[in-house]
Amino acid sequence: MFWFRSAACPTLYCRVFQLSRMPLQTVFSIASRGISQGENGNHALRWDLSPDEIKAHTDYLINRTKTAYDHIGSLDVETVSVQNTLLTLADAKFNYAASRHVLDFPQFVSPCKEVRSASTEAEKKLAKFDVEISMREDVFHRVIALQKKLQGHLTPEENRFLHRIVTLGKRNGLHLAKEIQEEIKRASKLISELSIEFNRNLNEDTTALVFSERELGGLAESYLNGLERTEDGRYKVTLEYPHYYPLMKRCHIPETRRRMETAFHSRCKEENTAILEQLMELRAKVASLLGFSSHADYVLELNMARNANHVSDFLDKLYTRLKPIGEKERKYLLALKKRECLMKGLAFDGQVNAWDLPYYMNQVEQVKFAVNKDKLIEYFPLHTVTRGLLGIYQELLGLTFTQVPAPNAWHESVDLYAVRDASTGDDIGRFYLDLHPREGKYGHAACFGLQPGCVGPDGERRLAVAAMVANFTKPRKGWPSLLQHHEVETYFHEFGHVMHELCSKTVFSEFSGTQVETDFVEVPSQMLENWVWEEPSLRRMSGHYKDGSPIPDALLSKLIASRVANTGMMNLRQVVLGKVDQTLHTTACADTAQVFATHSENILGIPATPGTNMTASFSHLAGGYDGQYYGYLWSEVYSMDIFFSHFKKEGIMNPKVGRAYRKAILEPGGSVDGMDMLTCFLGREPCEDAFFQCKGLVHPAGKKS
């Protein structure tokens, strides 16, 4: 997942009174130097701001940006020019993006609750300001005037920039009556505030369940050793990923799994259900005011899919293709459950429940593919995986990573790396790795863009900065951090987003990094997941935690073969989530729990657990993927086409293909349409054959399985 937030780095608040008396271009020049000092105007970001400093910097950033917009808005329409309008607007957007994330990012990672709270409040204030500046009708009309004036005299990226500003202005209703604009503004501010609250509730959730050793039957000693003990000797299990998923896959006590699954899908149920219902109503209202039939149609207008009908057709087509194999797999899961119930003398209820699904899907890998997960995890210590991952990305993309000693970061466990082009030695950017769980930390895995890589106000290129945030098991006495193979896949996926952020080469911050169509943003990261299923790359990222010995050939072969395990069920669940998202955003109101329950039962054949509401913890719905969750499957069609048509055919570590991929897919950022990037790299229109081949539904020769 890529978290949709702007970039960050603070300027010095003490400059504010000096700056207010200076000409606008001087203001931007000094502000830029305050943000990024050193060679080419770049330096490490500050992460030691106190709650009071966060508040002060937020107010300063808002005032500074408003000054720029006021300047543009005050221009005589006849005098607009590249210098006083286009470049001034671009510089304002860059400075805002380059200053913001040091203020709103700490809410996800700071170990200090007061800082997290201050950061959340800063984001609320900035989100409201985002709405204000997006509704500047005076600026909108001057951009339109400039666009007409310069027609045919702009570079492609300049033209795209102005076109985007005009398009977004119309999508904010700036061509409509004042009273409608005000209504849109009020609703948009509330949407931003509610979305922030939705995710803060999840981040701050500390729910934990207590179990006896018997109730945790089936779990490895290494898992139990990592749990906190209560005074009476029982085990405290949180709902964080490193605790939840291993338990759901390995614990053979059904009641324990039921309690965990119920708790997991009841997180923030009361407060977030209410928030989600408000979001649905407000989003539908804004879409209607703007002339769209639904919020889904509104957000999809700028995506590759274009509208909700195309998304519905896409998901229906996948469902039709996946349904037979999904039904076959579910029957097999049920047979496994029946057999286990008979062997253990347990009551058999005749269905696969939500708390059964991960457990029996894990058994499929063991029974059908004989993948010994307990043995396999020993070959993926985090430090070995990290070394292999970094080496593969460097070699493939023509980059050099250098770890920065004693980095200035938000926590002592965070690492920082400098990135250079291997051929030219040019500095490209920086990335942070924050890989272990902490109280109050963002609970999933995601990439956060922290500073855009683009041309700054002084004409010099700014270095991109990004952070990968994950929750891999912490090392502890006698045990290093060991990763499940699916966590290795997550690592490669999120780091793919990091590379997209760092490798882009755009003029405008508006197009930097992952600021592409939402249904294209997952393409680069999904494409790079393939390396965790190929023998040569798996060899490079693995080694036994005790002696570094390689994964036995037989175990490795079984792992690779298991890629098609549970293909139907896993992909049908993605169809379920895509359908849930579309249903919630093609109507103004709905029983959110029932919507999920209906789709899960009808598509997956798995009933939702009574009393739960999965959508209350479905963070994508309030994290920038509203109406767009289908994009994971949509992107995968293209990512598999890229991999199978070039890398698989010409060599997964072929540096020529890797550099061509970097140039055609990563460097343009959002300055080119996704479809144009694909056709440029592929040399043809993309197709879906590789996607179905990867899922085991089509053999390489084209014969259906």
Side-chain angles (χ1 to χ4, degrees):
M1 176 182 180
F2 179 80
W3 194 264
F4 288 94
R5 292 292 184 269
S6 301
C9 181
T11 55
L12 300 177
Y13 182 68
C14 62
R15 294 185 188 270
V16 67
F17 298 109
Q18 299 169 325
L19 294 177
S20 64
R21 300 183 182 184
M22 296 180 179
L24 187 65
Q25 295 303 320
T26 307
V27 169
F28 281 132
S29 177
I30 293 180
S32 175
R33 291 199 296 273
I35 292 167
S36 46
Q37 299 172 344
E39 184 182 358
N40 293 328
N42 294 287
H43 89 309
L45 308 181
R46 275 191 65 194
W47 299 112
D48 58 352
L49 295 179
S50 68
D52 286 343
E53 287 176 313
I54 288 174
K55 183 180 184 302
H57 279 288
T58 301
D59 292 338
Y60 170 45
L61 177 59
I62 288 172
N63 290 333
R64 191 183 79 199
T65 306
K66 184 177 181 299
T67 298
Y69 276 73
D70 288 345
H71 173 78
I72 297 169
S74 68
L75 294 171
D76 188 311
V77 174
E78 300 300 320
T79 66
V80 294
S81 67
V82 169
Q83 191 66 35
N84 66 21
T85 303
L86 187 151
L87 293 181
T88 300
L89 185 59
D91 291 351
K93 284 180 171 290
F94 165 79
N95 280 292
Y96 186 68
S99 301
R100 177 172 180 158
H101 234 319
V102 80
L103 306 172
D104 66 12
F105 177 57
Q107 67 181 294
F108 301 104
V109 295
S110 175
C112 175
K113 186 170 184 177
E114 290 73 21
V115 169
R116 294 198 303 271
S117 295
S119 176
T120 301
E121 292 307 310
E123 185 180 16
K124 286 182 179 179
K125 188 178 288 188
L126 290 166
K128 288 181 179 179
F129 180 65
D130 289 341
V131 176
E132 290 287 344
I133 59 173
S134 72
M135 302 290 289
R136 288 291 297 259
E137 190 177 3
D138 52 352
V139 175
F140 174 68
H141 287 302
R142 279 148 186 81
V143 172
I144 289 178
L146 181 64
Q147 189 181 41
K148 292 177 180 177
K149 192 173 187 178
L150 298 178
Q151 197 166 14
H153 299 283
L154 296 168
T155 67
E157 191 170 337
E158 288 170 343
N159 188 61
R160 188 178 179 88
F161 177 73
L162 287 183
H163 179 74
R164 179 173 176 80
I165 299 302
V166 172
T167 299
L168 293 178
K170 291 178 179 178
R171 286 172 57 78
N172 287 324
L174 297 184
H175 59 303
L176 302 176
K178 278 285 186 185
E179 57 269 22
I180 296 178
Q181 290 184 36
E182 288 302 316
E183 215 172 337
I184 292 171
K185 185 187 294 187
R186 285 193 296 271
S188 298
K189 286 183 177 180
L190 188 51
I191 287 169
S192 295
E193 188 172 332
L194 289 169
S195 298
I196 293 166
E197 280 299 312
F198 187 100
N199 283 295
R200 177 163 72 170
N201 291 337
L202 291 174
N203 291 339
E204 296 295 335
D205 181 74
T206 57
T207 302
L209 283 72
V210 176
F211 298 102
S212 66
E213 187 170 352
R214 185 193 66 80
E215 291 173 314
L216 296 176
L219 290 161
E221 183 183 354
S222 59
Y223 177 89
L224 297 178
N225 288 340
L227 299 177
E228 184 181 332
R229 303 289 289 268
T230 61
E231 290 184 2
D232 61 2
R234 292 186 296 169
Y235 294 90
K236 183 179 178 182
V237 185
T238 72
L239 299 180
E240 293 175 350
Y241 282 13
H243 285 185
Y244 179 75
Y245 284 109
L247 185 149
M248 294 304 296
K249 290 182 176 183
R250 304 303 302 279
C251 182
H252 58 61
I253 308 297
E255 178 60 15
T256 299
R257 298 197 309 271
R258 186 196 66 78
R259 287 177 58 195
M260 282 293 287
E261 192 275 334
T262 300
F264 189 76
H265 288 131
S266 297
R267 287 173 296 158
C268 309
K269 185 177 73 171
E270 302 302 326
E271 58 268 46
N272 277 4
T273 297
I275 288 174
L276 183 56
E277 289 173 355
Q278 280 184 273
L279 285 172
M280 288 170 56
E281 183 179 351
L282 289 165
R283 287 165 174 166
K285 178 182 179 180
V286 170
S288 178
L289 289 170
L290 290 167
F292 291 88
S293 60
S294 68
H295 176 69
D297 274 328
Y298 169 68
V299 295
L300 293 170
E301 183 189 34
L302 298 183
N303 282 7
M304 297 175 79
R306 299 304 177 204
N307 59 61
N309 285 336
H310 287 158
V311 172
S312 180
D313 291 344
F314 170 74
L315 293 174
D316 288 344
K317 182 178 180 180
L318 284 184
Y319 170 63
T320 300
R321 194 75 174 267
L322 292 164
K323 182 181 178 181
I325 190 172
E327 288 181 346
K328 183 179 179 181
E329 289 174 357
R330 185 164 51 82
K331 287 177 181 177
Y332 186 71
L333 296 178
L334 194 60
L336 288 176
K337 178 177 178 178
K338 184 176 183 180
R339 185 185 69 171
E340 183 171 26
C341 287
L342 288 172
M343 290 175 61
K344 295 183 176 180
L346 301 172
F348 177 61
D349 60 7
Q351 67 179 15
V352 178
N353 299 298
W355 60 87
D356 295 323
L357 191 59
Y359 177 73
Y360 289 107
M361 286 173 70
N362 186 62
Q363 283 201 12
V364 168
E365 296 181 41
Q366 295 178 342
V367 174
K368 276 194 170 183
F369 297 92
V371 178
N372 186 332
K373 294 292 186 68
D374 287 337
K375 193 68 178 173
L376 186 64
I377 194 174
E378 296 179 359
Y379 291 91
F380 290 117
L382 178 58
H383 69 274
T384 301
V385 174
T386 300
R387 184 176 65 244
L389 176 147
L390 298 181
I392 288 168
Y393 273 94
Q394 288 176 92
E395 183 178 330
L396 190 66
L397 300 178
L399 302 171
T400 301
F401 302 157
T402 304
Q403 188 167 0
V404 177
N408 168 33
W410 50 89
H411 191 266
E412 60 186 10
S413 65
V414 177
D415 292 324
L416 174 65
Y417 290 81
V419 181
R420 291 182 180 274
D421 184 282
S423 298
T424 66
D426 292 344
D427 216 348
I428 288 179
R430 307 281 185 271
F431 65 84
Y432 295 92
L433 295 179
D434 184 354
L435 303 179
H436 300 298
R438 295 185 296 276
E439 184 176 342
K441 180 183 168 183
Y442 179 72
H444 305 283
C447 167
F448 293 79
L450 302 181
Q451 184 164 277
C454 60
V455 176
D458 57 2
E460 297 288 342
R461 178 157 294 279
R462 292 297 188 269
L463 300 185
V465 182
M468 179 184 160
V469 176
N471 287 275
F472 301 138
T473 305
K474 292 180 181 179
R476 55 196 181 279
K477 188 177 181 181
W479 289 92
S481 175
L482 299 176
L483 302 188
Q484 299 281 353
H485 180 258
H486 73 85
E487 292 179 304
V488 179
E489 188 173 41
T490 296
Y491 201 167
F492 263 73
H493 176 98
E494 297 304 337
F495 199 78
H497 285 308
V498 172
M499 291 295 96
H500 199 180
E501 281 289 325
L502 266 63
C503 290
S504 72
K505 286 186 176 180
T506 64
V507 174
F508 299 104
S509 62
E510 193 86 358
F511 305 129
S512 176
T514 55
Q515 296 192 79
V516 298
E517 300 102 316
T518 306
D519 50 7
F520 184 80
V521 74
E522 299 294 337
V523 169
S525 50
Q526 287 178 335
M527 198 279 293
L528 288 152
E529 290 177 20
N530 287 286
W531 272 253
V532 308
W533 294 103
E534 298 289 326
E535 181 180 352
S537 44
L538 279 167
R539 292 286 185 201
R540 291 182 61 168
M541 68 181 83
S542 62
H544 199 277
Y545 76 94
K546 289 183 178 178
D547 57 13
S549 58
I551 302 177
D553 291 345
L555 181 57
L556 187 59
S557 296
K558 291 169 183 176
L559 170 64
I560 294 170
S562 73
R563 183 173 193 176
V564 296
N566 304 303
T567 287
M569 295 298 284
M570 287 194 297
N571 285 281
L572 283 173
R573 188 170 190 277
Q574 288 295 88
V575 173
V576 168
L577 297 180
K579 285 282 192 180
V580 167
D581 178 34
Q582 288 296 301
T583 301
L584 297 182
H585 291 111
T586 50
T587 184
C589 61
D591 180 336
T592 55
Q594 188 57 51
V595 167
F596 174 77
T598 298
H599 285 302
S600 183
E601 180 77 54
N602 293 345
I603 297 172
L604 202 56
I606 307 294
T609 303
T612 64
N613 184 5
M614 179 272 171
T615 64
S617 55
F618 192 2
S619 59
H620 293 75
L621 300 180
Y625 282 76
D626 43 291
Q628 302 168 93
Y629 190 85
Y630 75 93
Y632 281 99
L633 285 169
W634 182 280
S635 295
E636 196 173 359
V637 171
Y638 301 130
S639 67
M640 291 305 167
D641 198 4
I642 290 173
F643 178 74
F644 279 91
S645 65
H646 283 274
F647 288 100
K648 186 70 172 176
K649 187 180 295 183
E650 301 175 49
I652 64 168
M653 294 309 301
N654 186 321
K656 183 179 179 181
V657 179
R659 283 159 180 73
Y661 167 80
R662 175 180 157 191
K663 182 175 180 61
I665 303 294
L666 302 184
E667 287 187 0
S671 66
V672 178
D673 286 346
M675 186 57 72
D676 291 339
M677 286 187 256
L678 287 167
T679 54
C680 173
F681 182 75
L682 295 170
R684 56 167 170 76
E685 292 289 318
C687 67
E688 62 189 23
D689 293 351
F691 173 79
F692 288 114
Q693 178 185 331
C694 173
K695 303 302 177 186
L697 298 175
V698 175
H699 297 302
K703 181 182 177 182
K704 292 184 181 180
S705 59

